[in-house]
Amino acid sequence: MTPALAIAQLLPEAPVTVYADGLMSYGPTRNKIDPLIGGRVSRLLHLDLVPGLAPLLLGEFGAVPEAVPVEAFTKCVEELAGPSPARGPAAEEGPVLLLGQYLAALNLLTAAEEEELHLRMVRGAVALGHRRLVFKPHPTAPDAWSRALVRAAEELGAELTVEDRPVLAEVLYRELRPALVVGCFSTALLTARTFYGLPVARVGTRPSWSGSPLPEQQPDPAHGGGRGRPAARRPGGRRLRDRYGGAERPGRGGRLRDAAEDPAGAADGGGTAPVGAARRAHPAPLHPPPPHRPGPPRRPAPPRHPQVRRLARRALRLRRALKR
């Protein structure tokens, strides 16, 4: 149980507001949530990482998405970063910031594959003419990865510095003002581009499904490939969100499932779908839902009226006591 769920259970009458600052908010709810808690969620505060695109998270409970103002987020980052750093010569270009991932810890890649992913970031940055690199490893990453990147950069004639302070990537944007931000599917790619106006490049988007396909694919429509050239924004973000969301949670049916089964509907108004998305979604439909098996009826989410909710909890406790 997470601390947030524990607090929500300790305060059974309080309305709940959820804050989600990552790309995970654009996908459907991953874990099953007790209706007694989910039914109390009234708002979902989120960063407007893809302007105009509403998250799917907790939508089954009627949570209303509300974007956090960019100024409020950047002000928090300024408070964390402290005083503005001294600027060097105006003509001096900032370094390339490489964002380490945590894919091996999630069993999405092997350790060797993730190390190679980081090496590709180094080689790609040097190929673009950059000679000063800063690598921000994930806190769970082995130290050996950082040493391997330092050696690889030296062999290519570049200098790589490892940023080992436990700071947010957005703090480094303010301190370093990087010439380029490189990552895989990090939320920080979106904040760099959308909130700080920094050029970004992605490397190694996974060609297969995982427990979180939306975060792996979301940077693609807005940002460039591994060569650091930003791509033009494409229409169809809403359909792409629904398509991946329906494929990840097909049992929920509705428009998400219809969008996931549509082989040609990754873009609104004739836009072009990302190549990876079209390759994975075309042409096979999702598996049909399993046949209905009679069983105990599902307990519907109780109304939000406090008195009705108290009666529902009392009945549930009585039912459990009788079963003992």
Side-chain angles (χ1 to χ4, degrees):
M1 178 182 295
T2 65
L5 282 176
I7 294 175
Q9 290 181 348
L10 290 172
L11 304 172
E13 305 298 333
V16 177
T17 295
V18 174
Y19 171 65
D21 63 352
L23 284 171
M24 290 291 185
S25 63
Y26 289 97
T29 310
R30 300 179 66 189
N31 301 319
K32 187 176 180 180
I33 297 178
D34 189 335
L36 289 174
I37 296 177
R40 290 155 49 198
V41 179
S42 58
R43 291 192 305 165
L44 173 68
L45 301 179
H46 67 96
L47 297 179
D48 200 13
L49 300 172
V50 184
L53 186 64
L56 296 177
L57 182 67
L58 298 172
E60 65 271 26
F61 295 108
V64 178
E66 183 177 329
V68 175
V70 176
E71 297 77 11
F73 174 76
T74 55
K75 182 179 179 181
C76 289
V77 172
E78 291 175 2
E79 293 175 355
L80 292 172
S84 300
R87 298 290 182 183
E92 184 180 1
E93 186 181 51
V96 172
L97 180 59
L98 311 178
L99 301 174
Q101 300 287 156
Y102 60 109
L103 307 180
L106 295 177
N107 294 321
L108 300 180
L109 291 177
T110 65
E113 289 172 336
E114 185 156 13
E115 183 177 7
E116 176 59 27
L117 177 69
H118 295 153
L119 290 172
R120 286 175 57 191
M121 294 181 184
V122 173
R123 291 193 289 264
V126 174
L128 289 172
H130 301 282
R131 292 298 179 266
R132 291 197 303 131
L133 315 177
V134 175
F135 177 63
K136 184 185 184 304
H138 190 268
T140 62
D143 293 337
W145 290 0
S146 300
R147 294 193 293 270
L149 293 182
V150 172
R151 291 194 298 269
E154 290 176 351
E155 293 172 0
L156 295 171
E159 177 187 2
L160 185 142
T161 303
V162 178
E163 177 56 70
D164 53 5
R165 292 179 299 162
V167 297
L168 297 175
E170 288 78 13
V171 172
L172 298 180
Y173 299 161
R174 189 168 179 271
E175 293 180 357
L176 302 177
R177 199 61 192 174
L180 179 68
V181 180
V182 183
C184 182
F185 70 86
S186 173
T187 300
L189 283 177
L190 275 294
T191 59
R193 179 76 172 180
T194 306
F195 296 168
Y196 293 90
L198 298 173
V200 301
R202 60 161 184 84
V203 176
T205 301
R206 289 273 289 169
S208 61
W209 293 110
S210 71
S212 55
L214 265 174
E216 293 178 7
Q217 297 303 322
Q218 195 64 59
D220 184 62
H223 306 305
R227 298 185 180 276
R229 292 191 294 266
R233 285 186 180 273
R234 304 171 190 159
R238 188 172 292 103
R239 284 192 63 89
L240 183 62
R241 175 206 62 188
D242 292 349
R243 198 174 189 187
Y244 281 119
E248 187 178 356
R249 296 291 183 268
R252 293 180 180 171
R255 63 178 177 82
L256 296 184
R257 183 182 179 90
D258 295 340
E261 290 183 334
D262 182 4
D268 290 325
T272 303
V275 175
R279 181 172 63 248
R280 281 186 294 275
H282 178 78
L286 299 176
H287 294 293
H292 175 70
R293 296 178 180 176
R298 288 187 175 183
R299 188 173 72 251
R304 297 194 178 195
H305 193 283
Q307 188 172 0
V308 176
R309 297 179 67 85
R310 281 196 296 270
L311 291 174
R313 282 194 298 273
R314 187 178 303 171
L316 183 59
R317 287 195 297 268
L318 180 60
R319 181 180 177 185
R320 289 173 178 170
L322 292 175
K323 285 184 177 180
R324 294 173 187 169

